[in-house]
Amino acid sequence: MYLFENLISSPALWITIVILYTLKKGIHFVPQNRGYVIYTLGKYSKTLSAGLNFIVPFVQSVAADRNLKEQSLEIMSQSAITKDNITLDIDGILFMKVTDAAAATNNITDYKMSVTQLAMTTMRNAIGSMELDECFQNRDLINAQILGSMTEATAPWGVMVTRYEIKDITPPQSIREDMEKQMTAEREKRSVILTAQGVKTAAITQAEGHKQARVLDAEAAKAEQVLAAEASKESQILTAAGKAEAIRLVAIADADALEVVGKAANTEQGQAAVTLTLAQNAIIAHQAIAKESTVVLTDGKTGDNIANTVAQAIAVSSSLKV
């Protein structure tokens, strides 16, 4: 007990405690991606970066500890009126980072709340400049417009907005019903158009097929006619050539026969045979005339006629002999 009282009353102990406390106040280990804003006697003097840093105890102090990493802020759902007077509930998410810890401390009271309020206002302005259909079709344009406006506005605060994304756009129930009806009508319209186009295409294809078939049939018929004409022509040529050859052969045979007959008739036996043949032929001719009718008119000199015919045949034979 006596020792403890001596230690408490010892000036050295108190001096040691004061020195350690002073060192603690003067030495700061700043983490990565953090910024310590230092005030000297209540006035901004510097910003401590990551690593080991020293300040003057009791004269300088850490006024703010700022996170320099990229942060996300959720923008709560709010109402916005479009250019065509349709009320929409819209929300989003914003990504930002502190680029200047001193400006984020000295130029704005609460930079997160200020950025959020600015995002909501800018979003309402962007929605108000567009019609309902444009709001649904141009989300990227809305995001870019909000981002551009906020980048310029937040620069003096030491804050940089890196990205803004709209999460949901919710129209009133009546508008949703109308949109569903419109979408149903559009789908039915596209279905009817596609069906009509399909029928048209099928009809065109069928007509083209029939046309091609008729063309091919006509070409085939024409080719058959050409082939038939060629075949008929070749047949006629061959027939004519055959007839000509037959006539030539008959003529040669007749000539050969006449030559043989002439040689045979040039003899005495041939003359007798010719005379006999002519007489027989004359008799046969008169018999044939008699058979053609039951009545035969003569001049009463039939025998003389036959004799004359035989005499004429003998004369012809004699002339051939000469």
Side-chain angles (χ1 to χ4, degrees):
M1 186 68 179
Y2 177 74
L3 179 60
F4 180 72
E5 290 178 353
N6 288 335
L7 287 174
I8 292 177
S9 61
S10 174
L13 177 61
W14 289 105
I15 292 173
T16 302
I17 293 174
V18 170
I19 291 173
L20 291 176
Y21 181 75
T22 302
L23 290 175
K24 181 179 180 303
K25 296 287 288 184
I27 299 175
H28 290 278
F29 294 95
V30 181
Q32 187 68 33
N33 292 320
R34 308 289 293 193
Y36 286 4
V37 179
I38 304 301
Y39 279 9
T40 301
L41 299 176
K43 182 180 180 181
Y44 171 75
S45 59
K46 63 180 178 179
T47 300
L48 301 182
S49 58
L52 176 62
N53 294 272
F54 298 94
I55 62 173
V56 179
F58 309 109
V59 177
Q60 295 179 324
S61 62
V62 178
D65 177 10
R66 298 304 182 195
N67 185 358
L68 303 181
K69 295 180 181 179
E70 187 172 4
Q71 306 172 59
S72 62
L73 300 177
E74 186 175 357
I75 310 301
M76 301 302 295
S77 179
Q78 60 176 326
S79 297
I81 301 176
T82 63
K83 188 176 181 181
D84 50 354
N85 297 322
I86 303 298
T87 302
L88 301 177
D89 291 331
I90 184 170
D91 59 359
I93 184 169
L94 180 145
F95 296 88
M96 48 80 66
K97 67 183 300 183
V98 176
T99 57
D100 187 344
T105 303
N106 300 325
N107 298 343
I108 193 72
T109 301
D110 187 343
Y111 70 89
K112 289 185 179 181
M113 184 182 69
S114 299
V115 169
T116 301
Q117 295 294 328
L118 179 61
M120 296 172 67
T121 303
T122 307
M123 184 168 59
R124 283 195 297 267
N125 293 336
I127 295 298
S129 64
M130 296 183 179
E131 295 184 353
L132 179 62
D133 293 340
E134 295 176 336
C135 294
F136 288 105
Q137 298 173 1
N138 300 320
R139 287 196 177 198
D140 292 339
L141 180 61
I142 297 174
N143 293 335
Q145 184 176 347
I146 295 174
L147 180 62
S149 299
M150 294 193 64
T151 300
E152 183 179 356
T154 58
W157 303 343
V159 176
M160 180 178 67
V161 178
T162 58
R163 187 171 52 178
Y164 185 90
E165 295 291 340
I166 293 177
K167 292 171 60 178
D168 293 312
I169 299 177
T170 306
Q173 181 63 29
S174 59
I175 299 298
R176 289 201 298 269
E177 292 176 357
D178 292 340
M179 292 175 63
E180 290 177 359
K181 292 179 181 178
Q182 182 179 2
M183 292 174 62
T184 302
E186 286 293 333
R187 285 194 295 268
E188 292 177 353
K189 177 182 176 181
R190 286 195 296 269
S191 177
V192 171
I193 292 174
L194 291 176
T195 302
Q197 289 178 347
V199 172
K200 178 181 177 182
T201 303
I204 293 174
T205 303
Q206 186 176 7
E208 288 292 334
H210 291 165
K211 178 181 177 181
Q212 292 294 330
R214 288 195 296 269
V215 171
L216 293 176
D217 290 342
E219 291 179 352
K222 182 178 179 181
E224 290 179 358
Q225 292 177 355
V226 172
L227 292 176
E230 291 291 334
S232 176
K233 178 181 178 181
E234 293 293 332
S235 176
Q236 292 175 0
I237 292 173
L238 293 176
T239 301
K243 290 180 178 180
E245 182 65 18
I247 293 171
R248 187 180 67 83
L249 293 176
V250 170
I252 292 173
D254 291 341
D256 292 339
L258 291 174
E259 183 179 358
V260 172
V261 171
K263 289 181 179 181
N266 199 23
T267 62
E268 294 181 358
Q269 291 83 359
Q271 288 292 325
V274 169
T275 301
L276 178 60
T277 299
L278 292 176
Q280 290 175 346
N281 290 337
I283 294 170
I284 291 171
H286 283 284
Q287 289 176 349
I289 293 172
K291 287 181 180 180
E292 291 295 329
S293 177
T294 55
V295 178
V296 178
L297 299 176
T298 64
D299 54 358
K301 298 179 179 181
T302 305
D304 295 338
N305 290 335
I306 295 173
N308 291 334
T309 301
V310 172
Q312 291 176 359
I314 292 172
V316 171
S317 176
S318 300
S319 62
L320 289 175
K321 181 179 179 180
V322 177

